[in-house]
Amino acid sequence: MKIVVSVLFSLSLFSAPLSLKNSPYYSPKASTTVIIFYTSWCPPCKRSLVLLDTLQKSYPKMVVHRVCVDDAQSQKKAVPYGLGQSIPIILIADHSGNVVKRFSALPDQSILNALVQRLEEGRLENGTLPIDRRLDTWKMDRKGM
């Protein structure tokens, strides 16, 4: 019984969407916010940092927060954002501060670029328009009929 309860508790703990709105990482003027939790000694982390630097040059409205978790104090601060056993952890948030994607390894450059491009265009992670913009487009299309 204890195992079932703890599994259900841990599932409910991580099932809610993560928002950056009440965090120091929220940037209201950013079209996309990226947070990377990394260590200074990790080769995939170093490659991820280079990848994000390159990506940031292509998207000037994108904000990248680099959080080094080499010490125990910074690791504790990163736990609410999903820091566990693996690094790097990369969180991608839309302009509203809602985390839409979490990478727990070095992401493929083309996948990351496509995701940021969709967010820059005001689209959802999957490329569709948000529901309010879809309804507005549908209404405009109906007027011409």
Side-chain angles (χ1 to χ4, degrees):
M1 185 70 167
K2 271 186 175 179
I3 295 171
V4 173
V5 171
S6 66
V7 168
L8 289 175
F9 176 72
S10 63
L11 285 176
S12 67
L13 182 67
F14 292 106
S15 62
L18 182 60
S19 176
L20 303 178
K21 277 217 172 176
N22 297 321
S23 78
Y25 307 115
Y26 179 59
S27 303
K29 294 183 180 179
S31 58
T32 306
T33 303
V34 179
I35 307 170
I36 178 169
F37 297 97
Y38 70 96
T39 60
S40 59
W41 49 265
C42 166
C45 294
K46 291 177 183 179
R47 289 193 301 272
S48 294
L49 288 168
V50 171
L51 174 64
L52 290 175
D53 287 341
T54 304
L55 193 63
Q56 192 172 24
K57 289 176 186 171
S58 300
Y59 300 101
K61 292 183 185 176
M62 181 176 85
V63 174
V64 178
H65 296 279
R66 295 160 184 82
V67 183
C68 184
V69 290
D70 280 342
D71 59 89
Q73 185 178 4
S74 59
Q75 289 172 7
K76 285 180 186 176
K77 289 180 182 177
V79 168
Y81 300 100
L83 184 69
Q85 298 294 331
S86 66
I87 50 169
I89 300 292
I90 301 173
L91 303 176
I92 313 290
D94 63 10
H95 70 283
S96 301
N98 299 317
V99 175
V100 297
K101 192 71 173 173
R102 179 183 187 272
F103 295 100
S104 56
L106 177 66
D108 181 77
Q109 183 173 359
S110 61
I111 291 172
L112 189 58
N113 192 36
L115 174 60
V116 171
Q117 177 67 39
R118 288 191 296 268
L119 292 174
E120 290 279 321
E121 293 171 353
R123 296 183 175 275
L124 300 176
E125 173 194 357
N126 63 4
T128 61
L129 289 170
I131 188 70
D132 56 336
R133 287 182 54 200
R134 278 185 264 160
L135 288 175
D136 289 345
T137 304
W138 178 79
K139 288 176 188 175
M140 287 188 304
D141 289 344
R142 298 291 290 173
K143 287 180 184 177
M145 296 182 134

